[in-house]
Amino acid sequence: MSSDRKQQGRGREYRSVTRVTGPLIAVSGVEGAAYGEVVEVTVPSGERRTGRVLESREDTAIVQVFGGTEAVDTVRTSVRFTGETMKIGVTEALLGRILDGTGEPIDGGPLLIPDAMRDISGNPINPSARDFPRDSIETGISAIDGMNTLVRGQKLPIFSGSGLPHARLAAQIARQARVRGEAESFSVVFAAMGITYEEADFFIRNFRETGALEQAVVFVNRADDPVIERLITPQVALTVAEYLAFDLGYHVLVILTDMTNYCEALREVAAAREEVPGRRGYPGYMYTDLAGIYERAGRIKGREGSITQIPILTIPNDDITHPVPDLTGYITEGQIVFSRDLHRKGIYPPIDLLPSLSRLMQGGIGEGRTREDHAAVKDQLYAAYARGRRLRNLVAVVGEESLGDIDRLYLVFADRFEREFLRQAENERRSFEETLDAAWRLLSMLPESELVRIEPSLIERYYPRRTEG
Amino acid sequence: MTITGTVARISGAVVSARGLAGARMYDVVRVGNERLVGEIVVLDRDVATIQVYEDTEGIAPGEPVTTTGMPLAVELGPGLLGTIYDGIQRPLEVIRDEIGDFILRGVHAPGLRRDRGWDFTPIARRGDRVEPGDLLGTVVETEVHEHRVMVPPGIRGRIEEIASEGRYTVEEVVATVRDDARLHRVRMLQYWPVRQPRPVRMRLEPTDPLISGQRVVDTFFPLVKGGTAALPGPFGAGKTVVQHQLAKYVNADIIVYVGCGERGNEMADVLRQFPALVDPTTGKSLMDRTVLIGNTSNMPVAAREASVYTGITIAEYYRDMGYDVALMADSTSRWAEAMREISGRLEEMPGEQGYPAYLASRLADFYERAGRMTVLGSAGRTGSVTVIGSVSPPGGDFSEPVTQNTLRVVKVLWALDADLAHERHFPAINWLTSYSSYAGTVRGWWAERAAPMWEEYRAEMMGVLQAESELLETVQLVGEDVLPEEDRLVLVQARLIRDGFLIQSAFHPVDTYCTAEKQYLMLELLVRFYRQAREAVAAGVSAAAVGGLAVKTRLERMPFVPNETFPDEYASIKEEIAEAFAGLTAGRSAYGVTMRG
Ligand SMILES: Nc1ncnc2c1ncn2[C@@H]1O[C@H](COP(=O)(O)OP(=O)(O)OP(=O)(O)O)[C@@H](O)[C@H]1O
Ligand SMILES: [Mg+2]
């Protein structure tokens, strides 16, 4: 497609770095650098780093250097323009491998021979080619399956905070997730950006112990790896995921952690370019940039595989209006929100159900998918739990004495709901039926007349009668 | 006529090219070896700055740039309905057939198919004098809609020839019109530049409500045909669901749905559902009245900027035929952000929060294209364009520029609220902060349709909700038990209005659409219940006893009773209300459930 240009551009080398700011260098006297072109930067010590053209003018190219600009000088550093856009070699043999944030193996395994080279920015899925995701995934976790069902092809982030058990939950999902009626589990593409050694290790060990590593591709950019490198990690990981899903037919679960670190790298580049900053210094195009990552989840008509994404982000200062969770929430198909309060109460998973949401739940549940009462039960649980929570706040001010009988019931309901439904063990896997039955047991605390979100015929069928106990 | 220059600089979606002296502002150009589509947005001597509608990766300085001499325009004619386009009207299904499931750049496909024939029936006759907007003939575009082939703006004269009944492609000439000097060949295929409103004869006041089957909308915050509404809310508050509900159920003739910088799966959802859904007004497939523009968040940002203009131009075209058109834009914030992104790359002076200084005027100009109009043509047809724009304020904070500038121009605000959404009170339209300036306009329409007390009932129930919000402030401080009984009754009634009326599930097969008739009957029962309850409380009955009445549960379940059988349910509930209160005031408790056991 663009081979003529590649030929003409191959191997142009310059020693004309004129300016270095943050992760960026300006190279002058360059002829015809293509926007997005990959360059190879060699610093005086001989070390080589990869970069990419961020802006191209007739005589100057602005290059973002992924390995960072440390030791780059304006005299001896050389920059070679490769005539290529960024690509990664893809092959099924990537399964079971551990790579760095740019896709280089770091596990000492055998040489990888790619089946194809793929552009890491990918191309948008034609909206008319998308198959609307409807196969619900049983994660075995009631707070998700019962209240915010995940479906195959969805992007559902975990909004967490520092010190909260998001890694444990993500690992539990990766371990337990199954589509009903199918034995096959998910292949995992795991991309770590700027996370600590312990956290990266936690995942790798976890995958290894459960045997999931053989079905996983792990990309690790650690906290002490170059910051700018993490800008390409999700794209590299998703390019591999797309190959596995849409070429080879795998159902791929992509875990991206921690997107907050990714966004910080984005901010750093924007600052170096002296762009007009958007909210809290993040660039105005961050929405578009994140969409380029998250929208790579989905299903395609007539193709076997799927990409389900679970991005993880730690919210700075637990402020959900912070641009990282805010823009993420505007793109993803819901969110699982963690609560420090629940965590303090010792409830795992500490999911705050009120702000949590799965937008694709509706199409994945109900008769023939999970169970006919699922939607109504979920609505009723939400209504009841929200009421209990509101009363809990009220009682904190005015005391319980001021409540009527029904209100007191709701207060108890909220507590029991958290302890008996929400809380579960890290190795506990509940089926959809078990989750829904647990829901009915709780709902039976309330008189039937309170269950106005559930149609009488369903109450008739599922409401546990006292006589049974 | 074409001028060729060379690329000088590339920065994201913005490319500058030199050697383009003589090119015109807003002309479409082809950029680079792959001939990507772009539009000139700044001219400085021979240097043109171009926003490019496709991914610019790989473009290098020195590549050619060629002008087309045409502004960005849409193709108008039969074949629009039922089609999904990207932001610059490339038919996505055709593109998929040609290049596969992923959108690559450099693909071009015309908006209207050239190979398809349409059955044309002439209306105008040889020798007729015609002016812009006059009908030349009709085509059955879909089962529902007669496509009216009009004399385009700017052409008037005498018909020299008109095609006879038969099948023609959009490129074939169906009429020739002679004015004093020239002979115009008119085809079904016509072009119109998207950034320019199509001319009309006269702007009219809106009169009729746009009924959506959504209770909180129709009853409390009505919209009218030709009106404008803003739908701001934080993520997950329900903007898209409301927009989809409106697209499915409003009693407009044509729907133009613009998915502007949002999710691919949401477009897939529309494509999956609409063909199978039935338009409640015509009984035909919803897809037959719908044009979709889907430029999702990961598609090129400049095309996102163009998408709302593409949408509204198509909407105006059907309006000109005399139809009522409703356009949903989800989300206008993404459009504004596209403007901001391009403006930033152009290094323009940033205004508030980095948005360009012209943000306010662009928004105003866009909403100005809505309205009920006498359209061109000697027949004096009327048509309307209604515009409903979602707004996605960062952090859900309505004080930001896009929300504020939108509220300056629209007449209806449906303010979505995170708290309500978190409690799963959907649609999460906050009844205290939302408003409609059209309530007075539609009063007559309701009164004519066996809803004589509509305005009074509506005001009475809104009064209860407002009183509730004040009382809740007190309750938060000192608890409920200090309130007098009549105030506690307000709390009971407000809950009932919320649960039994305001909450409406878009996903429940029955509740998803509530006819105007059912809405009114529900409202009437709520008012009836409240009036009786107040009497009872005045006579010494406690609010708790009222709240415990079995009939209240029935009222709360009204949403699930089918539209068709609701009149029977209405009669039965009405009776039960009478009995229940008779029982209460007679001192006998009708309260069936004991709580303490
Ligand atoms: N009327 C409704 N009935 C039932 N559920 C609803 C309704 N409105 C919204 N919801 C629920 O809320 C979810 C979020 O709604 P929606 O996708 O419309 O939000 P949004 O405001 O468009 O968010 P974003 O700005 O991120 O696009 C839906 O997926 C659905 O679960
Ligand atoms: Mg939305």
Side-chain angles (χ1 to χ4, degrees), chain B residues 370-383:
Chain B
R372 184 167 159 262
M373 318 282 190
T374 304
V375 298
L376 295 186
S378 45
R381 294 184 302 273
T382 57

Side-chain angles (χ1 to χ4, degrees), chain A residues 126 128, chain B residues 83-85 90-100 107-113 115:
Chain A
N126 186 324
S128 73
Chain B
T83 308
I84 177 166
Y85 293 108
R90 285 182 297 197
L92 288 170
E93 272 153 340
V94 173
I95 287 186
R96 179 174 171 232
D97 288 343
E98 282 180 13
I99 59 162
V107 278
H108 302 291
L112 295 179
R113 296 181 58 148
D115 53 357

Side-chain angles (χ1 to χ4, degrees), chain A residues 329-330 357-359, chain B residues 234-241 262-263 266 392 426-427 504-507:
Chain A
Y330 271 125
L357 168 72
S358 164
R359 298 170 198 243
Chain B
F235 65 80
K239 297 179 289 295
T240 303
V241 173
E262 294 285 312
R263 301 171 183 82
E266 289 170 352
S392 315
F426 288 120
Q504 184 171 3
S505 170
F507 304 126

Side-chain angles (χ1 to χ4, degrees), chain B residues 306-367:
Chain B
S307 64
V308 295
Y309 294 105
T310 298
I312 196 129
T313 307
I314 292 173
E316 287 174 341
Y317 175 62
Y318 282 99
R319 171 205 66 197
D320 290 347
M321 293 179 206
Y323 289 124
D324 291 316
V325 186
L327 177 137
M328 293 86 199
D330 185 20
S331 162
T332 61
S333 292
R334 306 303 166 215
W335 163 43
E337 285 163 11
M339 266 189 251
R340 175 170 70 185
E341 192 169 330
I342 290 157
S343 162
R345 304 254 187 204
L346 296 175
E347 290 165 11
E348 291 175 338
M349 179 73 102
E352 214 184 333
Q353 290 188 19
Y355 286 105
Y358 45 78
L359 172 72
S361 62
R362 292 274 167 92
L363 283 168
D365 290 349
F366 171 67
Y367 283 103

Side-chain angles (χ1 to χ4, degrees), chain A residues 1-2 4-5 32-36 52 54-58 85-86 119 121-134 147-148 153-155 159 242 246 273 275-276 278-279 284-285 287-288 291-292 295-301 303 320-321 325-327 329-333 335 353-360 362-363 378-379 382-383 386-387 390 393-394 397-398 401-402 405-407 409 447-456 459, chain B residues 6-13 18 33-34 55-63 84 91-93 95-96 100-105 233-237 239-240 260-269 271-272 294-301 304 334 337 340-341 344-345 347-348 350 353-354 391-396 421-424 426 474-481 488 495 498-500 503 505 507-508 552-553 556-557 560 591 593 595-596:
Chain A
M1 181 171 75
S2 51
D4 48 354
R5 190 180 55 238
Y35 179 68
R52 175 153 65 167
L54 267 196
E55 182 174 330
S56 175
R57 304 182 184 225
E58 274 164 321
T85 49
M86 282 210 120
D119 214 307
S121 6
N123 287 304
I125 301 177
N126 186 324
S128 73
R130 280 186 186 268
D131 200 1
F132 189 73
R134 298 198 68 183
M147 307 297 279
N148 292 293
Q154 184 171 12
K155 41 193 180 289
F159 285 9
E242 278 173 2
F246 302 131
R273 294 193 69 186
E275 289 169 3
V276 182
R279 270 175 89 223
Y285 50 79
Y287 174 83
T288 305
E295 278 289 320
R296 292 177 83 172
R299 307 204 62 165
I300 293 178
K301 288 178 196 156
R303 300 203 192 206
I320 199 167
T321 68
D326 192 51
L327 295 179
Y330 271 125
I331 302 164
T332 53
E333 283 139 355
Q335 62 279 336
L353 283 172
L354 298 188
S356 296
L357 168 72
S358 164
R359 298 170 198 243
L360 300 187
Q362 207 54 45
K378 184 248 328 180
D379 285 347
Y382 258 110
R387 182 156 171 194
R390 214 178 322 116
N393 293 337
L394 182 64
V397 183
V398 301
E401 313 74 57
S402 67
D405 292 333
I406 281 277
D407 282 348
L409 264 182
E448 279 180 51
S449 58
E450 286 294 302
L451 307 185
V452 294
R453 310 256 131 246
I454 308 182
E455 277 161 78
I459 295 183
Chain B
T6 53
V7 171
R9 175 185 166 196
I10 313 104
S11 169
R18 64 173 74 255
N33 300 330
E34 288 170 86
D55 182 9
T56 53
E57 196 168 283
I59 304 288
E63 290 188 27
I84 177 166
L92 288 170
E93 272 153 340
I95 287 186
R96 179 174 171 232
D101 297 334
F102 293 86
I103 301 178
L104 310 177
R105 58 197 183 159
F235 65 80
K239 297 179 289 295
T240 303
C260 172
E262 294 285 312
R263 301 171 183 82
N265 277 334
E266 289 170 352
M267 300 315 295
D269 196 19
L271 285 173
R272 173 183 70 101
N295 207 97
T296 57
S297 56
N298 56 337
M299 287 161 71
V301 73
R304 186 202 298 172
R334 306 303 166 215
E337 285 163 11
R340 175 170 70 185
E341 192 169 330
R345 304 254 187 204
E347 290 165 11
E348 291 175 338
Q353 290 188 19
V391 185
S392 315
H422 290 175
E423 294 187 6
R424 277 25 179 199
F426 288 120
T474 313
V475 171
Q476 286 298 336
L477 294 174
V478 293
E480 201 179 311
D481 43 0
R488 301 181 83 162
R495 272 216 84 77
R498 295 179 187 216
D499 289 341
I503 291 183
S505 170
F507 304 126
H508 190 279
K552 187 172 143 264
T553 307
E556 285 164 338
R557 291 208 172 112
F560 305 123
Y591 187 15
V593 191
M595 296 308 316
R596 248 169 262 278

Side-chain angles (χ1 to χ4, degrees), chain B residues 83-413:
Chain B
T83 308
I84 177 166
Y85 293 108
D86 78 353
I88 52 169
Q89 209 203 6
R90 285 182 297 197
L92 288 170
E93 272 153 340
V94 173
I95 287 186
R96 179 174 171 232
D97 288 343
E98 282 180 13
I99 59 162
D101 297 334
F102 293 86
I103 301 178
L104 310 177
R105 58 197 183 159
V107 278
H108 302 291
L112 295 179
R113 296 181 58 148
R114 299 297 194 261
D115 53 357
R116 170 155 182 195
W118 298 93
D119 292 327
F120 176 82
T121 309
I123 292 178
R125 277 167 318 201
R126 245 185 107 147
D128 283 357
R129 279 212 140 283
V130 290
E131 58 177 67
D134 281 351
L135 300 189
L136 294 170
T138 61
V139 158
V140 180
E141 185 176 2
T142 63
E143 259 194 275
V144 192
H145 288 292
E146 173 184 278
H147 190 104
R148 298 173 184 152
V149 181
M150 298 170 285
V151 176
I155 295 180
R156 64 178 67 238
R158 200 173 290 282
I159 301 235
E160 226 158 64
E161 268 175 283
I162 179 99
S164 51
E165 189 153 349
R167 181 163 289 196
Y168 302 89
T169 69
V170 293
E171 283 180 312
E172 285 176 89
V173 174
V174 289
T176 50
V177 180
R178 167 150 326 260
D179 66 14
D180 301 334
R182 290 206 305 160
L183 188 67
H184 301 274
R185 295 187 170 74
V186 181
R187 302 169 170 84
M188 286 191 257
L189 169 63
Q190 301 176 5
Y191 293 89
W192 191 260
V194 296
R195 297 188 196 277
Q196 195 178 322
R198 286 173 62 87
V200 295
R201 259 210 198 162
M202 199 169 59
R203 197 171 258 282
L204 303 168
E205 281 300 311
T207 49
D208 287 354
L210 190 74
I211 294 293
S212 66
Q214 311 303 302
R215 290 185 289 270
V216 60
V217 167
D218 296 345
T219 298
F220 286 113
F221 307 106
L223 181 57
V224 293
K225 292 178 175 172
T228 50
L231 183 61
F235 65 80
K239 297 179 289 295
T240 303
V241 173
V242 170
Q243 294 277 35
H244 282 191
Q245 290 297 94
L246 297 179
K248 285 175 193 168
Y249 299 124
V250 291
N251 56 344
D253 301 307
I254 304 285
I255 303 295
V256 179
Y257 191 95
V258 186
C260 172
E262 294 285 312
R263 301 171 183 82
N265 277 334
E266 289 170 352
M267 300 315 295
D269 196 19
V270 174
L271 285 173
R272 173 183 70 101
Q273 285 192 46
F274 277 40
L277 283 173
V278 166
D279 176 353
T281 330
T282 62
K284 295 291 193 291
S285 161
L286 270 185
M287 207 59 199
D288 283 354
R289 68 168 196 181
T290 308
V291 184
L292 294 172
I293 317 284
N295 207 97
T296 57
S297 56
N298 56 337
M299 287 161 71
V301 73
R304 186 202 298 172
E305 192 274 334
S307 64
V308 295
Y309 294 105
T310 298
I312 196 129
T313 307
I314 292 173
E316 287 174 341
Y317 175 62
Y318 282 99
R319 171 205 66 197
D320 290 347
M321 293 179 206
Y323 289 124
D324 291 316
V325 186
L327 177 137
M328 293 86 199
D330 185 20
S331 162
T332 61
S333 292
R334 306 303 166 215
W335 163 43
E337 285 163 11
M339 266 189 251
R340 175 170 70 185
E341 192 169 330
I342 290 157
S343 162
R345 304 254 187 204
L346 296 175
E347 290 165 11
E348 291 175 338
M349 179 73 102
E352 214 184 333
Q353 290 188 19
Y355 286 105
Y358 45 78
L359 172 72
S361 62
R362 292 274 167 92
L363 283 168
D365 290 349
F366 171 67
Y367 283 103
E368 192 63 19
R369 291 173 76 167
R372 184 167 159 262
M373 318 282 190
T374 304
V375 298
L376 295 186
S378 45
R381 294 184 302 273
T382 57
S384 67
V385 173
T386 310
V387 174
I388 304 117
S390 306
V391 185
S392 315
D397 177 0
F398 288 6
S399 67
E400 57 90 41
V402 182
T403 314
Q404 286 305 312
N405 285 310
T406 303
L407 292 184
R408 257 192 244 154
V409 290
V410 301
K411 295 286 183 9
V412 175
L413 165 63

